């Protein structure tokens, strides 16, 4: 398959017949299978596909990062004239950083927690330039300032844990820019970031490309992310290219069923699209129609949980932080309440108080008319089974040394009402209910994909037969197709089991799909609430309007217009007296 990309006269990247295999006990797994593409100097290419499609493996091959891992890489890979597969170690060191640089998905694992961010950037600069320490430090401050880190000289002395998620991602981009590379590879640079920070990072990448003339390879599972960020798109599935071409053409008229399925899985803000997505089956991307979330089942029902004047503080004295401040809300029987806001808005703290994993500093929590905010552990014990939580990170919430079946069984064994045989039977029923094979009872968390682990977390929350489940960012780190499956699963469970859900997320499009009502949080307070149609179609608060404006759109022209609007707004804010 061939395609016209940005600049065929002098390609910055040439990939032909690329194959990548990873050895396993039973032989080998082929991650990339005969891939061809080129990227012209100054061009931008989006590499798109689900988890496991081979897109990250391809990106790493451009820098020779598979060398020494045991992976078998064949074919042709040339970057700025360097034969990557045939290069010696010295040539690869020159290539990495000075010619091509990569920004990884997880900035925390990419930055050394013990060293100041500026020192780490300076070290990268000194590897490729024989400058003084002072010159390297000055360069670090310069690039930190360029990527929008406020008070860059002072913040360069901060360690990674002192930066927010968005600031850490900016720091990684600054590190990549330190040696003025001709190619920047961004591997899922906005995954798990809230929509406003995501928009800022994508705007930054666009501006840097325009300013420096560097090429960009943007690796992502989200077609909404690439719409306004690249010139061309290459869609991957099972290690091979299934479609490629100019981004506007592919998004407007995709030729392949898989591309169309990816497009349909992208969450959107308009209600008609939300309904279409809601009809997606929970078990797979291209199957028959399944359960539909949303609706108005809970709109006239009696209150299940009522919160009044809820407050939560951390620390004491001058170090005291108010995470949730004077929040009041109602969750009705059988409904889904969405809670949205940026990172640090208080969403997770509120969710943990709702299921009494955290004690409120002030205010009331009434469950079925009973005040439970001040109850101690002993008095809460009978209610624990009715109030459950699905956590954001299934990896950290599952014990890696115990089988997933035993983790799901914990609340059943704690209740002491079932025999061991009945517990195992109940767990297998739950595994099947969430779309997993009951025979996987004895497998361990590391043997599952991210979406499968999230299903395990949902099964564990369902084990004690709860009435209310708080879902804390349950799909934030999943690709869009797996995200759509989990959302549909939650809708099925709500319908079939009569659950009430509190769905916490930073992704406003996802929240519209699943919710009857929505509350918008900022700085620990609810700034706006109402039905999804009221809040999404006629937002009143400027903060809500800003969140909605930051949601990615699939029309490249509209995306460009929004980017220009955001740039103008930033300019006005900077020059305002």
């Amino acid at each position: 398959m061939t395609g016209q990309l940005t600049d065929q006269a002098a390609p910055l990247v040439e990939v032909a017949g690329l194959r990548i295999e990873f050895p396993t006990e039973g032989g080998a797994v082929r991650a990339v299978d005969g891939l061809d593409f080129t990227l012209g100097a100054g061009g931008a290419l989006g590499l798109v596909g689900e988890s496991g499609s081979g897109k990250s493996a391809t990106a790493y091959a451009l820098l020779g990062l598979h060398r020494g891992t045991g992976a078998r890489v064949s074919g042709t890979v040339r970057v700025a004239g360097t034969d990557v597969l045939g290069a010696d170690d010295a040539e690869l060191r020159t290539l990495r950083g000075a010619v091509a640089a990569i920004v990884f998905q997880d900035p925390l694992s990419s930055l050394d927690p013990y060293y100041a961010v500026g020192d780490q950037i300076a070290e990268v600069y000194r590897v490729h330039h024989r400058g003084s320490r002072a010159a390297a430090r000055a360069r670090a401050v310069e690039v930190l300032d360029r990527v929008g880190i406020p008070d860059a000289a002072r913040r360069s002395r901060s360690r990674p844990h002192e930066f927010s998620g968005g600031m850490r991602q900016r720091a990684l981009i600054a590190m990549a820019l330190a040696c003025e590379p001709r190619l920047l590879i961004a591997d899922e640079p906005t995954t798990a970031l809230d929509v406003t920070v995501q928009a800022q990072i994508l705007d930054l990448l666009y501006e840097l490309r325009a300013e420096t003339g560097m090429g960009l390879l943007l690796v992502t599972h989200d077609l909404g992310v690439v719409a306004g960020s690249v010139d061309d798109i290459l869609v991957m599935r099972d290690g091979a290219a299934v479609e490629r071409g100019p981004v506007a053409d592919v998004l407007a008229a995709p030729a392949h069923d898989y591309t169309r399925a990816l497009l349909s899985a992208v969450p959107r803000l308009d209600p008609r699209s939300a309904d279409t997505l809601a009809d997606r089956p929970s078990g797979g991307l291209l199957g028959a129609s399944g359960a539909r979330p949303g609706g108005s089942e809970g709109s006239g029902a009696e209150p299940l949980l009522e919160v009044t004047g809820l407050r939560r503080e951390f620390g004491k004295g001058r170090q005291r932080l108010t995470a949730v401040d004077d929040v009041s809300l109602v969750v009705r029987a059988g409904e889904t309440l969405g809670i949205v806001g940026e990172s640090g808005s208080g969403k997770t703290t509120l969710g943990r108080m709702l299921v009494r994993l955290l004690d409120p500093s002030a205010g009331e929590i009434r469950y079925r008319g009973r005040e439970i905010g001040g109850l101690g552990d002993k008095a809460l014990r009978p209610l624990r089974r009715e109030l459950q939580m699905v956590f954001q990170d299934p990896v950290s919430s599952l014990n890696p040394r115990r089988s997933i079946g035993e983790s799901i069984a914990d609340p059943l064994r704690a209740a002491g009402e079932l025999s061991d045989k009945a517990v195992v039977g109940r767990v297998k029923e739950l595994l099947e209910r969430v779309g997993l094979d009951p025979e996987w009872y004895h497998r361990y968390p590391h043997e599952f994909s991210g979406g499968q682990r999230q299903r395990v977390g949902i099964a564990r929350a369902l084990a004690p037969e709860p009435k209310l489940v708080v879902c804390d960012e349950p799909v934030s780190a999943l690709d869009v197709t797996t995200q759509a499956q989990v959302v549909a699963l939650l809708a099925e469970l709500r319908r079939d089991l009569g659950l009430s859900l509190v769905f916490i997320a930073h992704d406003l499009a996802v929240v519209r799909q699943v919710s009857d009502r929505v509350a918008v949080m900022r700085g620990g307070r609810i700034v706006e609430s109402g039905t999804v149609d009221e809040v999404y179609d006629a937002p009143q608060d400027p903060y809500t309007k800003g969140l909605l404006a930051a949601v990615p759109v699939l029309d490249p022209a509209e995306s460009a217009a929004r980017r220009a609007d955001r740039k103008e707004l930033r300019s006005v804010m900077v020059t305002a007296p």
Side-chain angles (χ1 to χ4, degrees):
M1 184 184 295
T2 59
Q4 292 296 316
L5 294 177
T6 309
D7 180 6
Q8 296 296 314
L12 178 63
V13 176
E14 295 178 87
V15 173
L18 178 64
R19 286 180 172 82
I20 303 174
E21 293 183 339
F22 295 101
T24 64
E25 291 182 3
V29 172
R30 181 165 289 182
V32 179
D33 189 9
L35 188 66
D36 304 318
F37 68 88
T38 59
L39 172 62
L45 172 66
L47 211 57
V48 181
E50 296 175 278
S51 298
S53 62
K55 57 188 188 299
S56 289
T58 299
Y60 296 169
L62 300 187
L63 292 175
L65 295 178
H66 294 299
R67 184 168 296 185
T69 66
R72 294 193 289 269
V73 184
S74 61
T76 300
V77 179
R78 303 186 73 86
V79 177
T82 298
D83 178 0
V84 177
L85 303 188
D88 59 30
D89 290 346
E91 289 173 318
L92 281 183
R93 282 195 297 271
T94 299
L95 174 71
R96 298 168 182 165
V99 177
I102 188 167
V103 176
F104 293 101
Q105 176 176 347
D106 182 11
L108 263 184
S109 62
S110 304
L111 293 168
D112 192 315
Y114 295 103
Y115 292 92
V117 169
D119 290 342
Q120 296 182 57
I121 297 172
E123 183 63 25
V124 169
Y125 181 80
R126 295 194 73 205
V127 166
H128 297 282
H129 295 79
R130 294 183 178 181
S132 65
R133 291 184 182 274
R137 285 282 307 170
R139 177 59 178 165
V141 172
E142 180 184 348
V143 291
L144 283 171
D145 180 68
R146 176 61 195 86
V147 299
I149 298 295
D151 196 4
R154 181 179 64 85
R155 295 311 299 267
S156 70
R157 297 189 289 273
S158 300
R159 287 173 173 76
H161 74 272
E162 298 177 89
F163 278 21
S164 67
M167 288 176 66
R168 284 193 292 263
Q169 197 62 281
R170 288 174 182 269
L172 274 189
I173 295 172
M175 186 180 293
L177 293 176
C179 297
E180 299 181 344
R182 295 174 60 189
L183 171 68
L184 181 65
I185 302 167
D187 184 21
E188 299 279 11
T190 62
T191 296
L193 297 179
D194 60 54
V195 289
T196 51
V197 177
Q198 173 179 270
Q200 293 166 14
I201 296 298
L202 293 176
D203 289 351
L204 173 62
L205 291 175
Y206 184 89
E207 291 167 6
L208 290 171
R209 177 189 160 209
E211 180 182 297
T212 65
M214 68 181 180
L216 174 67
L217 182 71
L218 179 59
V219 179
T220 181
H221 64 261
D222 191 343
L223 284 165
V225 167
V226 300
S229 303
V230 301
D231 308 315
D232 300 278
I233 185 173
L234 188 154
V235 181
M236 292 187 67
R237 186 183 193 187
D238 296 330
V242 298
E243 186 163 358
R244 69 183 76 186
V247 63
D249 295 349
V250 172
L251 295 183
H256 197 280
D257 286 344
Y258 179 68
T259 310
R260 287 194 286 270
L262 284 178
L263 274 170
S264 71
V266 175
R268 310 183 195 193
L269 289 176
D270 60 282
R272 186 180 62 83
S273 297
D275 290 345
T276 302
L277 252 176
D279 287 331
R280 183 153 321 284
S282 65
L285 185 62
L286 298 171
S289 183
R292 178 183 182 280
S296 56
E297 297 94 319
S299 60
E302 63 182 20
L304 181 69
L305 187 77
E306 297 178 88
V307 167
T308 305
L310 205 61
R311 184 181 179 88
R312 174 68 196 201
E313 298 174 346
F314 293 97
K316 296 181 179 179
R318 292 184 178 180
Q319 302 300 317
R320 185 170 59 190
L321 170 69
T322 301
V324 173
D325 187 12
D326 194 26
V327 165
S328 299
L329 55 82
V330 175
V331 183
R332 298 187 177 96
E335 80 165 349
T336 298
L337 173 67
I339 299 179
V340 300
E342 294 175 287
S343 298
S345 61
K347 307 185 302 294
T348 293
T349 300
L350 174 61
R352 289 174 180 260
M353 283 193 287
L354 295 184
V355 295
R356 286 307 325 277
L357 291 178
L358 278 178
D359 295 327
S361 302
E364 289 187 348
I365 304 173
R366 303 188 70 83
Y367 176 67
R368 291 185 168 183
R370 179 188 178 189
E371 212 291 313
I372 65 170
L375 295 182
D377 287 342
K378 186 175 181 179
L380 278 172
R381 200 165 297 148
L383 294 174
R384 291 291 187 196
R385 63 188 305 165
E386 297 188 30
L387 304 171
Q388 290 290 312
M389 191 162 194
V390 176
F391 297 94
Q392 176 177 356
D393 182 8
V395 175
S396 62
S397 61
L398 293 171
N399 188 331
R401 298 183 180 181
R402 304 185 70 217
S403 73
I404 56 107
E406 286 303 302
S407 289
I408 296 170
D410 281 343
L412 298 174
R413 297 194 193 283
E417 298 173 359
L418 300 175
S419 66
D420 283 348
K421 183 177 180 180
V423 167
V424 172
R426 171 65 176 152
V427 170
K428 289 188 174 183
E429 289 175 6
L430 287 166
L431 287 171
E432 188 170 16
R433 187 69 187 81
V434 299
L436 298 176
D437 190 333
E439 298 307 311
W440 293 348
Y441 183 105
H442 297 290
R443 293 190 179 184
Y444 290 84
H446 73 271
E447 299 180 76
F448 293 86
S449 68
Q452 289 173 329
R453 283 193 292 261
Q454 197 57 280
R455 289 172 184 263
V456 172
I458 293 170
R460 184 175 59 180
L462 294 177
E465 299 182 338
K467 301 298 182 184
L468 173 70
V469 178
V470 174
C471 303
D472 183 22
E473 296 278 10
V475 297
S476 65
L478 304 178
D479 63 47
V480 288
T481 52
T482 306
Q483 175 179 283
Q485 294 163 19
V486 172
V487 164
L489 171 62
L490 290 170
E492 290 176 6
L493 296 172
R494 170 191 159 183
R495 179 199 65 190
D496 296 348
L497 304 179
L499 294 173
S500 296
L501 299 178
V502 175
F503 193 94
I504 298 171
H506 63 256
D507 190 327
L508 280 80
V510 171
V511 169
R512 179 153 203 174
Q513 294 172 46
V514 301
S515 304
D516 302 305
R517 294 184 299 115
V518 63
V520 182
M521 290 193 71
R522 183 186 190 188
R525 290 177 170 266
I526 293 178
V527 298
E528 186 163 2
S529 63
T531 68
V532 288
D533 289 343
E534 290 170 346
V535 173
Y536 281 73
D537 296 341
Q540 301 300 306
D541 192 273
Y543 178 70
T544 308
K545 295 177 182 178
L547 289 178
L548 291 168
V551 175
V553 292
L554 288 169
D555 181 348
E558 183 181 350
S559 181
R562 288 191 177 196
R563 181 173 56 247
D565 289 344
R566 289 193 294 267
K567 184 175 182 180
E568 182 178 350
L569 178 60
R570 289 196 302 272
S571 175
V572 170
M573 293 176 65
V574 169
T575 58

